[in-house]
Amino acid sequence: MNIFVGSLPFSIDEADLRVSFEAYGTVSSVKIITDKFTGRSKGFGFVEMPNDTEAQKAIEELNGASVSGRTIVVNKSEPKPEGERRPFNNNRSGGGFNRGGGDRGRR
């Protein structure tokens, strides 16, 4: 089961997060999401646990727990439906990066 973990303290690392979840069972992967430019944690991540019963127990026990003074959010990660994703440039008129030029509206 893929588990979302939110409201993480920025100081926590993947090893610490792994230890918290391993108390409930086998953890196959841990990923804290970071900013691609600064490398700083975005305050959320994902934990993968192969056993659904162990994963559900971890969710129940850790959701609302305090970690370094922050109350974390833990729940089952649900994939976003494809219909909700929008492409970066949606080909909408009037938008985009090149807004200059012309005398549109200036008469």
Side-chain angles (χ1 to χ4, degrees):
M1 178 185 298
N2 196 15
I3 303 168
F4 169 82
V5 187
S7 297
L8 289 171
F10 296 116
S11 60
I12 196 168
D13 63 18
E14 290 178 355
D16 292 334
L17 191 57
R18 177 180 288 275
V19 168
S20 296
F21 279 82
E22 282 180 336
Y24 300 94
T26 304
V27 173
S28 52
S29 69
V30 175
K31 178 67 178 163
I32 293 178
I33 306 305
T34 56
D35 182 272
K36 65 181 174 183
F37 298 110
T38 66
R40 183 177 168 202
S41 167
K42 288 192 171 189
F44 70 95
F46 297 92
V47 175
E48 181 75 33
M49 296 181 75
N51 182 303
D52 287 352
T53 304
E54 293 172 350
Q56 191 59 47
K57 181 71 171 168
I59 290 169
E60 291 167 5
E61 296 286 329
L62 293 174
N63 187 38
S66 180
V67 176
S68 299
R70 294 193 65 159
T71 302
I72 63 171
V73 175
V74 182
N75 52 45
K76 183 177 178 182
S77 176
E78 299 290 343
K80 240 186 198 180
E82 283 298 317
E84 290 184 25
R85 296 182 183 171
R86 290 189 300 180
F88 173 70
N89 185 355
N90 217 8
N91 290 329
R92 295 184 208 172
S93 61
F97 294 107
N98 189 5
R99 293 178 182 239
D103 66 346
R104 200 165 77 183
R106 296 182 206 137
R107 294 180 194 212

